[in-house]
Amino acid sequence: MKHTVSRTLPRVLRRRDACLCLAAVLVSGFGTSALWLVAGVWVKDLTGSDGLAALCLLALWAPTAAGPVLGALADTVRRGPLLISLHLLPAALLPVLTAVDSPGRVWLVFAVLFVYGAVGVVQDAAESALVAGAVPASLLGEFNGLRMTVSEGLKLVAPPTGAVLYGAYGADAVVLLDAASFVLAAGLYACLRVPEPPPALGERVRIGEGARHLWRHPRLRPLVLAGGATMLCAGVNGAALYAVIDALGHAPAYAGVLYAVQGAGSVVAGLLAGPALRRLGAHRLAGYGIAVTAVAAGLRAVPSDAVALLCSAAIGAGLPCVLIAAFTAVQRETPDALHGRTAATAHTLVLAPNAIGLAVGAALVEVVDVAVLLAALGVVWAASAALPRQSAASPSRTADRSSSDANPA
């Protein structure tokens, strides 16, 4: 597998537009990761309310529910100019937060974060469509793996950087850093040379077509369902984190160690997922990823530091396999005219259940012993590994032979 990675990564990185897209993700993602942590701390400091601090994350995530509607925008205009505009908009809006200096103005934080989240939904849809045109289908798995590695790697660096800036210079420094990151990302997207067909002007855009495409497609439907089930279980698992830490006898700050180990697992998985996708196919890779995370979630019931660290790394490695398999298949199997709506709908169906899982897990962890909860979760999660299976097509070992991934698990 190492030799496969060493051969395929240069093929991705030799492509100018792929490198520019990855650089834009790196730059804007750094600012975003720094801000999401600081926003909650800032609101907590201003109001003293844990509930209001938690609402910052809700404000960012809430627009995901409107993904099918917001994603339609990416199918009505050229994606390159749209991405530039979508990065300049938050860059212009974020400096408004420098006026927040009292509890009475905290509403501005929620309003800006909500717009920020809505813009992010359209950005993801437009970027997915643009990448599908800039990167050959045979390399989409590698690109998405690298993108996951970049995103997860940023989570290890950017939040601590934001916390240091906040402690030294206040929230304004983090806000302006994030705004500058968006300006730089817009400049990178402006350098792209991806040919785009003109949008179908005057043609009615049916918002529900993305969902219909996912549901009717024999390979996409099981992958998206598997992704949603996985993120639902991941939410329950995440809600049990502090109960696990209590069982280990550590202070809540130990969560930072577990998050770091999980992030490291995701970084490694992102590098290996592309070659694994080529060898196994999307459905088999997703099934293996679910199995790994299910076993790891169940084993977290064992009160051992070594087991907890190993399980965090395994969960970090397993989750990206499911997400990369699902989103890469969507890119390969979706017509360009439908790509924005389909990608945004897939993101909603896969990622929104995580919030539901967090809410369910938060309620269950109060009334069920954490060891029992995690053991049961592992069983339920393992059962969902059957979702990616389908037998409609014969397996094809590599994506080089076709732009579609028809590999059954």
Side-chain angles (χ1 to χ4, degrees), residues 148 152 155 223 226-235 237-238 259 262-263 265-267 269-270 273 285-294 296-297 300 311-327 350-351 354 381 384:
M148 179 69 72
E152 293 300 321
K155 292 177 184 178
L223 283 170
T230 293
M231 294 309 292
L232 177 69
C233 293
N237 180 65
Y259 276 133
Q262 181 172 326
S266 295
V267 168
L285 178 63
Y288 290 162
I290 292 172
V292 169
T293 51
R300 291 177 80 197
C311 289
S312 291
I315 290 169
L319 284 176
C321 294
V322 185
L323 301 181
I324 291 170
F327 294 143
V350 171
L351 300 178
N354 185 252
W381 205 338
S384 71

Side-chain angles (χ1 to χ4, degrees), residues 208-217 220 330 333-335 338 342:
E209 280 301 309
R212 277 189 284 273
H213 176 66
L214 290 174
W215 183 252
R216 294 171 179 170
H217 201 293
L220 296 184
V330 168
E333 303 279 357
T334 303
L338 276 178
T342 304

Side-chain angles (χ1 to χ4, degrees), residues 67-69 72 75 206-217 220-221 224-225 330 334 338-349:
V69 177
D75 290 334
R206 294 178 174 85
I207 292 172
E209 280 301 309
R212 277 189 284 273
H213 176 66
L214 290 174
W215 183 252
R216 294 171 179 170
H217 201 293
L220 296 184
R221 183 176 65 246
V224 171
L225 289 175
V330 168
T334 303
L338 276 178
H339 205 121
R341 284 162 286 174
T342 304
T345 301
H347 276 83
T348 296
L349 294 175

Side-chain angles (χ1 to χ4, degrees), residues 44-251:
K44 167 70 174 177
D45 285 344
L46 285 172
T47 66
S49 170
D50 291 329
L52 289 177
L55 282 180
C56 290
L57 195 57
L58 177 61
L60 275 171
W61 272 92
T64 304
V69 177
L70 295 171
L73 180 59
D75 290 334
T76 58
V77 297
R78 292 183 185 275
R79 280 79 178 244
L82 177 62
L83 277 169
I84 296 170
S85 301
L86 289 173
H87 282 76
L88 292 178
L89 175 59
L93 188 61
L94 281 166
V96 171
L97 295 181
T98 60
V100 178
D101 57 3
S102 66
R105 292 185 175 179
V106 162
W107 67 271
L108 279 172
V109 177
F110 300 131
V112 169
L113 289 178
F114 184 83
V115 175
Y116 195 117
V119 166
V121 172
V122 187
Q123 282 177 351
D124 287 343
E127 184 207 335
S128 177
L130 201 67
V131 166
V135 179
S138 61
L139 293 179
L140 280 174
E142 280 79 4
F143 177 89
N144 289 327
L146 276 175
R147 191 188 190 286
M148 179 69 72
T149 295
V150 168
S151 298
E152 293 300 321
L154 286 173
K155 292 177 184 178
L156 302 178
V157 179
T161 302
V164 170
L165 281 176
Y166 177 73
Y169 304 106
D172 289 358
V174 183
V175 167
L176 295 177
L177 169 67
D178 196 15
S181 74
F182 275 113
V183 172
L184 183 53
L188 291 168
Y189 280 119
C191 295
L192 289 174
R193 300 171 184 167
V194 181
E196 292 188 70
L201 298 176
E203 184 176 319
R204 183 181 175 188
V205 175
R206 294 178 174 85
I207 292 172
E209 280 301 309
R212 277 189 284 273
H213 176 66
L214 290 174
W215 183 252
R216 294 171 179 170
H217 201 293
R219 291 182 289 276
L220 296 184
R221 183 176 65 246
L223 283 170
V224 171
L225 289 175
T230 293
M231 294 309 292
L232 177 69
C233 293
V236 177
N237 180 65
L241 175 64
Y242 290 100
V244 170
I245 292 172
D246 284 343
L248 293 173
H250 292 293

